[in-house]
Amino acid sequence: MRRTLQFPVFLLCLLLSLSVAPCGWGQNDNELRFCLHGEPKTFNPILVDDEASENIRYLTGGVLIRVNRETQALEPGLAESWQVSRDGRKITFHLHKGIYFSDGTPFSSEDVAYTIRLLMDPQTHSATADSFRSGDGKVDVQTPSPDVAVVTFPAPVVGLASLFDQVAVLSAKSPKKEMSVLGPYYVSEYKAGAYVLLRRNPNYWKHDSQGHPLPYIETVRLDIQRNRDVELMRFRRGELQLINRLDAEQYDQLRKENPGEARNAGTGLDGEEMWFNQVASSTLPDYKKAWFQTTAFRQAVSMAINRADLARIVFDGYATPAYGPVSPSNHFWFNTSLAAPTHDPQRALQILSRAGFRLEDGTLKDSGGHVVEFTVITNSGNTAREKMAAMIQQDLSQIGISMKVVTLDFPSLIERITRTFEYDACILGLVNTGLDPNSQLTVWLSSGENHQWNPNQKSPATAWETEIDKLMREQASNANAEFRKARFDKLQEIVTEQQPFIYLVNEDVLSAVSSDVIGASPAVLSPQAFWNIESLRLKPSREMGANQ
C-alpha cells in the first residue's frame, strides 16, 4: 500500500538515445500515444519506485509470472510453469525455451539468478525487494539447468508467486544491461521533460492465436505531461489515444461529448479516508486525546458522515461508499460479510450520549464541559478532498461538532502527520499497489510507520491493536490461502468496529480510450487502460491529431 503523498522527485536531466534513429511526432501511423504524469526516475526495473518508471517497466519488462489485470489470476510469463513449496520458502520456475532479449542475447535461468541476487542485495536499495524480505538470511538461487531456476528464501513469503509480477528479468550478459529487455517494447529514445519513445521488441516471444507476432503496435510515445487538463485537451484533439486515469469531472465531460471513449472499469482499489491523531506524545490537550482514543467517538463521527452524498456530489456518482480497508473489487480479500456503512446522525448522538457526551443548544460537549471542536488537515490543490472536508464539516455540525478545515502543501502536511504530530485529524487517500494484504503490513502493524493514527509504537497501545498485530503476523507466516483469508477477514471486522481509519469512498476507475484503439479493456488494477498493451491495435486509416 502506498500513500498518495509523494516527496519531490529530482528530474533526470539527460538525453538517452539508443541505436535507433529518432522517430518524430506523426511519422509513424502505427504509433500509440499517451502521457506520463512525471519524469521517469529510472529505466532500471529493479530500482523503480515512482509511477512513471512503473509504467515503463510494465511496457518493457519481461516477468516470470503475470497477474492478469482483468481476472486477477496468475498467468505464465517467461516461466511456463512454477511450483511453490508447502512452507512458502521456495519457488521453482520452469522457463520457456528459445527466448531472446531485445538485443539478441539469449535468455536462460542464469538471467533469473542474476536478477534475483541483484534485487535482494541490500546495497541495491530496491523498493520492489521489500515485499520479499521475510526473515534474516540470504536468498539462495540455484540453476540446475538453463530452463530451471530455484529460488529459496530464508523464511516463508506469503503470496510469493504473485510478487514476481513486479520483477522484470535483467540480462546477466548483455552489454546494454537494463536497456536490454524481454517485454513487448524497449526504450528507443528519451528526451528529458518531453517524451519517452518505445519501439516494438523484435525478439518478443509471444504470438497471437493465429501465430502473428505480438505486440501489434509498432511504437508507443509517452509524452511527459503533468497538467491533466492539457492532457484531456490533447486527447480531444486526437493527439493522444489513451488517458489512464480521469477524475470524475473530466470523465463526465468526455462522456457527454463522446460516450464511447469514456470508460468506467468500476469501483477501484484505492480509498479515501479520515483519521484522528491518537499519538500519546502529541501536544494535543488531554481531553482531545481522550476523544480521539475513544472508540464510541470515532464510531459516532463515522456514522454522522453521509458517504452516499460524498460519492454523488464530490465524485459525480463515480464512487461508492467505502466498507473498510479492502475494496469490493479485490475479489478474494474483501470480506463480504461486512455491513454496508450507514448514515444515522440520531444513532450517532445516542452513542455519544452513552460515552458521556451531551448536546447543549446544538453544541456537543464532553463530560468535562469542553466544546467538541477539532481541525482536519488535507493537501491543498486536491479539489475532491477539499469538497469532502466541507461536506463532512456540514454533516458533523448536525451532531453538534465544530470542524475546521485547513489545507497544507505536501511538505508541511507530511511534517505534521509523520514527525511533529501537530494535528487533530487528516483526510487523505491510499493507493493500493497490490491485492495481497502483505502490501499493507506497515499500515496495520502497530510498529509500522504507516500505522497513521499512531505510528511506530514500541508495543501496541490498545488490546484491539494487539489482536491486529497477531492476525497480520499469522497470515503473513502461513502459505495457506484460506487460513490467511480467515485471519484478514477478522482484521477487517475489527477495523470496521474500531474505526481507526474512517473510510469514506472508493473511487471508480475512469479512463479515456480513443475510438482509434481496438481491444482496450480498462481494469481496476494498474496500469488500468493499457494492461493488455500487446493485444491492442490501431485502426489503420485513422485521422491523427496535429503534428508537432
Side-chain angles (χ1 to χ4, degrees), residues 101 105-106 110-115 170-174:
F101 284 85
T105 304
E110 183 180 348
D111 302 303
V112 176
Y114 170 77
T115 302
L170 297 171
S171 173
K173 296 179 178 179
S174 172

Side-chain angles (χ1 to χ4, degrees), residues 251-272:
Y251 177 85
D252 220 27
Q253 292 173 6
L254 186 63
R255 185 180 62 84
K256 292 173 182 176
E257 298 169 3
N258 295 293
E261 296 186 337
R263 303 288 188 91
N264 186 346
T267 304
L269 300 177
D270 304 338
E272 297 285 330

